[in-house]
Amino acid sequence: MAKVISTLFISADGVAEIDPDWHFPYFDENMGRAVSEDYDTADVLLIGRETYDSFAGAWPDREAAGGEDAPFAKQLGDVRKVVVSRQPLEFSWRNSELIQGDLLDAVTSLKADAGVRGVLIPGSISVVQQLLAAGLVDELRLLVHPVAARKGRKLFDEGDAVYHLRLLATESFPTGVIRAIYSPSAAPAKVGYDEVKDQVPGGN
């Protein structure tokens, strides 16, 4: 089945609604490589309406301008883009389509489609939150910035269920950014203080 991967720029205090003031100072060739690796995992982008509007308002013009970022802009233009929106949309950016039906049903179908290699969700916090709650996200790829944003939407919303994660890989960049790749995991065995008290520092 195709993997569903969420890729997010995030602050140390969990804010995933990026502010250019705290994001761009940390963007270097290492982060560029990481972003490229994430996009290379997929042949479908799944994006919310706000993310789509942001992308479509910038990347086609950057592709047409032919600057240093034009190859990546072309890659975004060429990839299939499935947009999550409750409202009908008219698309001017090529290879864009409105999601068909319920989000969870549509993503389940994409995962099962033999013609789909992978689905990448860049940004689109509300989409990621819904899919996490439904158990449909296979990997979270977080680029954690060394900053406490203190305001903005966080990745993990409040709820009763605890999300347990397994760390697949980490990488630290000279800027202080940490790349952490997680997959959802089953809860560990229940443990209380009595089971770990022999690990408490003895003061020696």
Side-chain angles (χ1 to χ4, degrees), residues 20 62-63 81 84 108 115 118 120-121 126 146 161-162 168 180 187 201:
R62 291 170 182 166
E63 180 181 356
K81 293 168 285 291
V84 181
T108 299
L120 185 69
I121 313 169
S126 63
V162 174
L168 302 179

Side-chain angles (χ1 to χ4, degrees), residues 70-140:
F72 183 64
K74 183 179 184 304
Q75 179 181 353
L76 291 180
D78 289 343
V79 73
R80 178 185 175 192
K81 293 168 285 291
V82 179
V83 184
V84 181
S85 174
R86 295 185 179 91
Q87 304 298 325
L89 301 174
E90 292 186 8
F91 297 111
S92 58
W93 198 14
R94 67 184 184 277
N95 299 321
S96 300
E97 63 190 75
L98 189 65
I99 196 167
Q100 298 300 312
D102 175 76
L103 172 63
L104 304 186
D105 291 342
V107 172
T108 299
S109 295
L110 284 171
K111 285 172 68 72
D113 188 334
V116 175
R117 178 169 55 91
V119 178
L120 185 69
I121 313 169
S124 307
I125 302 168
S126 63
V127 174
V128 175
Q129 289 173 340
Q130 293 176 69
L131 297 183
L132 276 172
L136 290 173
V137 174
D138 296 294
E139 287 185 13
L140 282 172

Side-chain angles (χ1 to χ4, degrees), residues 39-53:
Y39 277 85
D40 287 344
T41 65
D43 45 14
V44 175
L45 295 187
L46 179 68
I47 45 182
R49 169 69 181 272
E50 290 183 10
T51 301
Y52 177 82
D53 287 345

Side-chain angles (χ1 to χ4, degrees), residues 3 6 21 52 104 139 141 193:
K3 276 188 177 182
S6 164
D21 287 343
Y52 177 82
L104 304 186
E139 287 185 13
R141 298 192 172 195
Y193 178 75

Side-chain angles (χ1 to χ4, degrees), residues 3 138-139 166-170 181-183:
K3 276 188 177 182
D138 296 294
E139 287 185 13
R166 181 165 65 96
L167 185 62
L168 302 179
T170 60
I181 301 177
Y182 295 97
S183 65

Side-chain angles (χ1 to χ4, degrees), residues 1 49 55-56 71 111 130 153 177 190:
M1 295 183 71
R49 169 69 181 272
F55 279 25
K111 285 172 68 72
Q130 293 176 69
R153 294 179 64 196
V177 169
K190 191 171 183 179

